[in-house]
């Protein structure tokens, strides 16, 4: 999970540079006592409902804080809608840069001085969960409205779920595609087809040196390799849900497949465009495998690149066990260490957020995340987004292993780099990697939720 997280980390770090500065917040509004219980406003939501016709904090003025690391403007718009209903309530958005956020928030929660509401990232689950208040929402209602909500149940309680799912796709340069004589009919469905397309997109000089890579995966093996394993039905953890399943025949086969793309098929090189994201953005590589965050990076940092997106290929044309792994973007957390009045406001705001389709849609589009809210799965705005439209065809066959420790992703990347840069054998590299992950996970309270995958019976 930490690896998924690292991909998102890059994105969020970039976003934090343009977001609010540390501790920046909007001035508090002037509060008034609310004496109007029956506001004659409609109840929001189908299963998870928000009823605005109920006084909060008995109508008495109260302000709470809501900590975020990004998207302050979107969360502020949601808060503004909530505050319009309640003249006695102020939710003060406080934005911290990503690095500061994960230092300050756990300490603030432990000391009882933290915010009532805060953004959650599942990579920080262990640092937060002991100071989180469970949602006052029926789990049946959550699972009825949100895909994957059942994966977040802990002792019959839910502390956060996913409002959206992020996973990998193939980003391709449309201008290079046209130059190579390729059309939309050539979008590959299988890896064999992908290799042939990549060969047409690869350019070399008279000495055989690559000048344009057909495919470049140099800095994202960590994400890609797990998806390749899932496509062949190989889980990331063994039956106990705790022992990493890194050193196995499927992983070896997929590592060899990745090496063959370069060494046998010649569609890229370990020495060409070491950072695949930059190489694609600079017009040096024709295709890369990236998660949804890359859409915004390309749009912001490389606006001249004419790119398209298609789903990750599969071993054959049959529906695989799973297309890829996904990670969830978490809903908002509630502090268990604030006073009861603050908890009441926080619980009401969570219901408002979870039943507010427009707010959820705006967040999903911003981050190129496919919405978990089932009512948004066929929304026209969602399906007009290139990445989300692509994911809509595979989202039912994406698997989430749970918020696993970051050592899995970082170690897998190190294992691959040992193979290509240090001439280690696949066997030795995976054996060493597996041992390192086991050692790193000793004492870690983690249990995979792979067994809860919707199509686990197809394994």
């Amino acid at each position: 999970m930490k690896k998924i997280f690292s991909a998102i980390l890059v994105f969020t770090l970039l976003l934090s540079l343009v977001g609010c500065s540390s501790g920046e917040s909007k001035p508090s509004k002037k509060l008034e006592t609310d004496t109007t219980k029956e506001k004659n406003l409609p109840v929001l939501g189908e299963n998870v409902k928000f009823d605005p016709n109920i006084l909060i904090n008995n109508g008495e003025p109260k302000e709470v804080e809501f900590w975020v690391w990004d998207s302050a403007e979107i969360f502020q718009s949601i808060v503004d809608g909530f505050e319009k209903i309640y003249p006695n309530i102020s939710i003060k958005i406080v934005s911290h840069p990503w690095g500061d956020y994960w230092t300050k928030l756990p300490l603030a929660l432990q000391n009882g001085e933290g915010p009532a509401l805060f953004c959650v990232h599942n990579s920080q689950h262990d640092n937060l969960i002991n100071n989180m208040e469970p949602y006052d929402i029926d789990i049946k209602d959550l699972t009825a409205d949100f895909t994957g909500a059942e994966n977040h149940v802990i002792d019959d309680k839910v502390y956060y779920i996913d409002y959206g799912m992020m996973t990998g796709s193939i980003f391709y340069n449309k201008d290079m595609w046209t130059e190579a004589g390729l059309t939309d009919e050539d979008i590959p469905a299988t890896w064999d087809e992908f290799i042939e397309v990549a060969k047409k997109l690869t350019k070399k000089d008279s000495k055989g040196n690559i000048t344009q890579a057909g495919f470049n995966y140099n800095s994202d093996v960590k994400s890609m390799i797990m998806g390749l394993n899932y496509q062949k039905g190989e889980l990331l953890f063994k039956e106990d849900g705790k022992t990493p399943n890194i050193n196995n025949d499927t992983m070896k086969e997929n590592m060899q497949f990745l090496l063959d793309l370069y060494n046998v098929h010649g569609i890229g090189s370990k020495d060409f465009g070491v950072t695949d994201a930059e190489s694609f953005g600079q017009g040096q590589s024709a295709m890369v495998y990236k998660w949804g965050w890359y859409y915004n990076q390309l749009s912001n940092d490389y606006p001249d690149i004419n790119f398209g997106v298609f789903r990750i290929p599969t071993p054959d044309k049959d529906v695989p066990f799973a297309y890829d792994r996904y990670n969830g973007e978490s809903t908002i957390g509630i502090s268990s260490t604030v006073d009861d009045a603050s908890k009441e406001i926080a619980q009401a705001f969570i219901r408002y957020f979870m039943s507010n389709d427009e707010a959820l849609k705006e967040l999903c589009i911003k981050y190129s995340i496919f919405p978990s809210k089932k009512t948004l799965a066929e929304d026209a705005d969602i399906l007009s987004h290139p990445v989300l439209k692509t994911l809509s065809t595979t989202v039912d066959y994406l698997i989430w292993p749970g918020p696993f420790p970051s050592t899995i992703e970082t170690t897998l990347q190190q294992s691959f780099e040992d193979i290509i840069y240090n001439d280690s054998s696949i066997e030795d590299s995976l054996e060493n990697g597996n041992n390192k992950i086991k050692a790193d996970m000793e004492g870690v309270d983690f249990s995979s939720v792979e067994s809860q995958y919707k199509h686990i019976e197809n394994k």
Side-chain angles (χ1 to χ4, degrees), residues 430-448:
L430 290 179
E431 175 68 18
N432 293 336
N434 202 57
N435 291 337
K436 181 179 185 303
I437 291 172
K438 281 184 177 179
D440 290 345
M441 290 186 64
E442 285 185 5
V444 173
D445 184 18
F446 167 81
S447 184
S448 168

Side-chain angles (χ1 to χ4, degrees), residues 54 137 148 183 186 199 214 222 246 248 293 346 370 374 387 404 406 431 440 443 451:
I54 300 172
I137 302 176
T183 70
D186 296 302
K199 288 179 179 177
K222 55 188 179 295
I246 302 303
N248 57 67
W293 58 267
F370 196 83
K374 295 174 183 176
V387 172
F404 59 71
S406 63
E431 175 68 18
D440 290 345
S451 61

Side-chain angles (χ1 to χ4, degrees), residues 337-358:
T337 59
V338 294
D339 59 67
D340 289 344
S342 296
K343 290 179 184 177
E344 181 186 356
I345 296 169
Q347 293 284 4
F349 184 74
I350 290 296
R351 280 187 172 275
Y352 178 73
F353 174 69
M354 305 286 276
S355 59
N356 190 331
D357 282 10
E358 288 303 310

Side-chain angles (χ1 to χ4, degrees), residues 25 49 68 96 137 178 189 202 210 221 225-226 253 280 298 308 317 325 349 433 453:
S25 64
K49 291 183 169 61
V68 305
H96 298 281
I137 302 176
T178 300
T202 303
I210 290 176
V221 167
I225 193 73
M226 285 184 261
E253 181 179 281
F280 185 85
L298 278 175
K317 294 194 175 183
R325 176 179 61 110
F349 184 74
Y453 173 51

Side-chain angles (χ1 to χ4, degrees), residues 15-65:
L15 286 173
S16 69
L17 296 176
V18 298
C20 296
S21 60
S22 178
E24 184 175 333
S25 64
K26 180 181 177 181
S28 302
K29 76 173 186 181
K30 183 178 179 180
L31 299 180
E32 302 173 0
T33 300
D34 185 3
T35 58
T36 309
K37 178 179 178 181
E38 295 297 336
K39 298 179 171 65
N40 296 318
L41 294 174
V43 175
L44 299 179
E46 293 187 7
N47 295 288
V48 177
K49 291 183 169 61
F50 168 73
D51 184 356
N53 304 298
I54 300 172
L55 289 179
I56 297 179
N57 195 36
N58 294 319
E60 297 299 317
K62 179 74 175 177
E63 178 177 275
V64 299
E65 287 193 354

Side-chain angles (χ1 to χ4, degrees), residues 195 199 202 204 208 210 215 217-218 254-272 416 418-421 423-424 426:
I195 291 169
K199 288 179 179 177
T202 303
K204 299 179 181 179
I210 290 176
F215 180 55
Y217 57 74
N218 281 341
N254 284 325
M255 279 289 189
Q256 188 62 56
F257 167 75
L258 290 173
L259 292 172
D260 288 349
L261 291 180
Y262 286 175
N263 300 333
V264 176
H265 303 294
I267 61 175
S269 167
K270 64 183 176 61
D271 300 317
F272 183 88
F416 182 74
D418 281 344
I419 295 168
I420 63 172
Y421 294 117
D423 295 326
S424 295
I426 292 176

Side-chain angles (χ1 to χ4, degrees), residues 18 37 53 71 78 80 87 96 114 146 151 163 196 229 237 245 271 280 285 295 297 307 309 341 353 355 404 415:
V18 298
K37 178 179 178 181
N53 304 298
S71 298
I78 301 170
D80 289 345
H96 298 281
F146 291 89
N151 295 334
Y163 68 78
E196 295 308 310
N229 279 18
F237 295 89
N245 180 31
D271 300 317
F280 185 85
S285 296
Y295 181 88
Q297 183 178 345
F307 67 92
V309 184
F353 174 69
S355 59
F404 59 71
S415 296

